[in-house]
Structures are given as C-alpha cells and as structure tokens.
Amino acid sequence: MKHIDNNGRRSRAIIANGTIFMGGQVADDLSADITEQTRQTLARIETLLTENGSDKTKMVSAQIWLKSMDDYAAMNAVWDQWINADGAPTRACGVVEMADPRILVEIIPTAIL
C-alpha cells in the first residue's frame, strides 16, 4: 500500500491492489464560482491520477458533494465536458455541509491503474 501526501491526519490518496482511492478533492481558489471550482477540482484529480500512473478514463466511481443543488446544472456542464462520455464512471451526487463554507464542490474519485 502506498500513501500519497500523508500529513498524519489524512492521505490525499492511497494506492492498494491496483486501485487509487482518493480523499475529497476541492478547488484551490475557494472564492471562485461553481464553474471554476469544478474545473479546478477536476484538474487536481487529473494531476493526481497522472502522477500515479492512471487517467480519467480509468475512473470507476466518483462521489460528488455539492454545497447546494442550485449548482448541480453548472457543475454538470463542466463535468460533462471533462469526462469520457463513452466510459463514464459510476457516480453519486448529493448535498452536504462542507468543512469550509466557501467550498462549493468536493469530488471523491476512485480509479484503477
């Protein structure tokens, strides 16, 4: 098992048995709107995947947390442009109270190597 970016409380990701399990990924700029936060979050996911020998076509699932379902359509517009439509992962999307009220979207992906 390989821990990626472990800070003693959490690992950004763990590789085990040919699978990359990621913690929740959020945008860097929390003052941005939902469109930009979604773009930044997906870019962060893509970087983690690439750095660890995978890519978005190998995502098997994604949990998406939104601060408000009012952002669902805007988030989906960015997601739909980013994801491989012919090989989209399983997905769930719901509303949660975020750890930081500026976070509008958090995505928790799982991918194979």
Side-chain angles (χ1 to χ4, degrees), residues 34-50:
I34 186 63
T35 298
E36 184 57 26
Q37 282 198 29
T38 303
R39 281 190 190 119
Q40 289 181 18
T41 301
L42 294 173
R44 185 176 231 176
I45 290 167
E46 196 155 4
T47 297
L48 268 171
L49 290 169
T50 301

Side-chain angles (χ1 to χ4, degrees), residues 25-79:
Q25 303 299 308
V26 299
D28 292 320
D29 180 3
L30 299 182
S31 67
D33 65 10
I34 186 63
T35 298
E36 184 57 26
Q37 282 198 29
T38 303
R39 281 190 190 119
Q40 289 181 18
T41 301
L42 294 173
R44 185 176 231 176
I45 290 167
E46 196 155 4
T47 297
L48 268 171
L49 290 169
T50 301
E51 288 175 348
N52 291 286
S54 191
D55 62 63
K56 65 185 175 184
T57 67
K58 296 178 182 176
M59 283 179 46
V60 294
S61 70
Q63 295 177 36
I64 301 173
W65 295 348
L66 294 173
K67 181 177 179 179
S68 169
M69 285 306 276
D70 292 341
D71 291 331
Y72 186 70
M75 179 277 300
N76 272 329
V78 177
W79 173 270

